Amino acid sequence: MSIVAEFSIKSDDFALCHSLTEAPHMVVEIEQVVATMENRVMPYFWVSGGDHAEFEEAFQNDDSVTDVARIDRADAAILYRAEWTKNVETIVYAYVELGASILQAVARDRNWEIRMRFDDREALSQFEEYCQQNDISFELNQLQEQEQPMASAQYDLTTKQRETLVTALEEGYYDVPQGISMSELANDVGVSQQALSKRFHAAHKNLITSTLTFTHPDDQ
């Protein structure tokens, strides 16, 4: 059974400490991480929330990254690609040795909040042991066992919530104009309209929480 773990770590123990210090209003969100055969780690990350010129200037003196390149822009956010050069041994170990993956990683105020998936508890224990042996301050905040299909578990959806959302999409509930009313959809799903409304509310809340926000230790 796979495990999703949420960690906190200071940027000076991980990546982009100098950049986040010099441009404290910026938010960095990793979109994808590529580990090469040479154990190099190349992240793609979105940066938003402040002065991009200030942040890019800080890049030049940030010894945790090299070969930074702009890839795309969407509204006030810019997508960059870079190569991590230090403090990434934990990620290399997690990727190469344990087969773990980063589901989400967000940095703000010199702190990283990272959600990772491990194949089982043994792999998670090996990762924690590695961090302890190397004095790396990954702090475990939350664990979740993935008993559901990966897509549902990753977004904190129950099986019924996922099935309802998919059915609504396929039946045209989200189309404009709608292809099916809520009462008709409720009849197809086999619940009352009130029950369907509550299921939608819970599912949308879980989706927004898992994709647009991140659990913070102070929220526990």
Side-chain angles (χ1 to χ4, degrees):
M1 181 183 300
S2 61
I3 303 291
V4 173
E6 293 184 6
F7 299 94
S8 297
I9 185 172
K10 298 293 185 182
S11 60
D12 52 3
D13 281 337
F14 188 48
L16 299 179
C17 179
H18 179 76
S19 300
L20 292 167
T21 300
E22 295 298 311
H25 300 296
M26 304 303 284
V27 176
V28 177
E29 182 170 2
I30 292 177
E31 180 178 81
Q32 181 184 13
V33 176
V34 179
T36 70
M37 294 295 291
E38 297 81 14
N39 287 351
R40 296 160 55 203
V41 179
M42 301 181 66
Y44 289 74
F45 51 91
W46 289 97
V47 178
S48 61
D51 187 340
H52 284 284
E54 182 180 47
F55 193 79
E56 289 185 353
E57 183 178 351
F59 268 153
Q60 307 307 314
N61 298 309
D62 196 319
D63 60 1
S64 69
V65 290
T66 187
D67 296 331
V68 179
R70 277 195 185 199
I71 301 300
D72 199 2
R73 184 174 191 129
D75 298 325
I78 296 178
L79 178 66
Y80 297 92
R81 183 192 64 227
E83 180 182 342
W84 277 332
T85 59
K86 61 178 293 188
N87 292 346
V88 296
E89 295 86 355
T90 50
I91 299 302
V92 172
Y93 176 78
Y95 266 73
V96 177
E97 300 296 331
L98 302 179
S101 58
I102 293 180
L103 301 178
Q104 188 177 15
V106 179
R108 54 170 64 87
D109 298 329
R110 298 183 62 188
N111 293 295
W112 284 89
E113 302 290 337
I114 301 175
R115 180 183 286 130
M116 301 180 69
R117 183 174 63 245
F118 298 85
D119 288 345
D120 49 39
R121 284 189 174 273
E122 181 180 354
L124 173 61
S125 297
Q126 291 175 5
F127 178 76
E128 292 181 298
E129 182 178 351
Y130 179 89
C131 292
Q132 292 172 1
Q133 291 176 347
N134 292 274
D135 296 323
I136 299 167
S137 61
F138 270 79
E139 180 180 346
L140 180 62
N141 297 325
Q142 183 174 326
L143 282 179
Q144 177 187 3
E145 293 185 343
Q146 288 195 344
E147 297 179 346
Q148 309 169 53
M150 185 178 69
S152 297
Q154 179 175 345
Y155 300 114
D156 296 330
L157 297 175
T158 67
T159 300
K160 287 185 178 180
Q161 288 171 355
R162 180 181 182 278
E163 291 175 349
T164 300
L165 292 179
V166 171
T167 299
L169 180 65
E170 292 175 344
E171 296 293 332
Y173 178 76
Y174 295 107
D175 293 347
V176 179
Q178 284 184 327
I180 188 172
S181 68
M182 180 173 285
S183 60
E184 292 170 330
L185 181 61
N187 185 62
D188 287 351
V189 175
V191 299
S192 69
Q193 185 171 338
Q194 182 180 9
L196 179 63
S197 178
K198 290 182 178 180
R199 189 177 297 179
F200 270 140
H201 179 80
H204 292 158
K205 179 181 179 180
N206 290 345
L207 276 175
I208 292 170
T209 300
S210 63
T211 58
L212 301 181
T213 66
F214 203 96
T215 303
H216 190 278
D218 292 341
D219 297 331
Q220 299 302 314

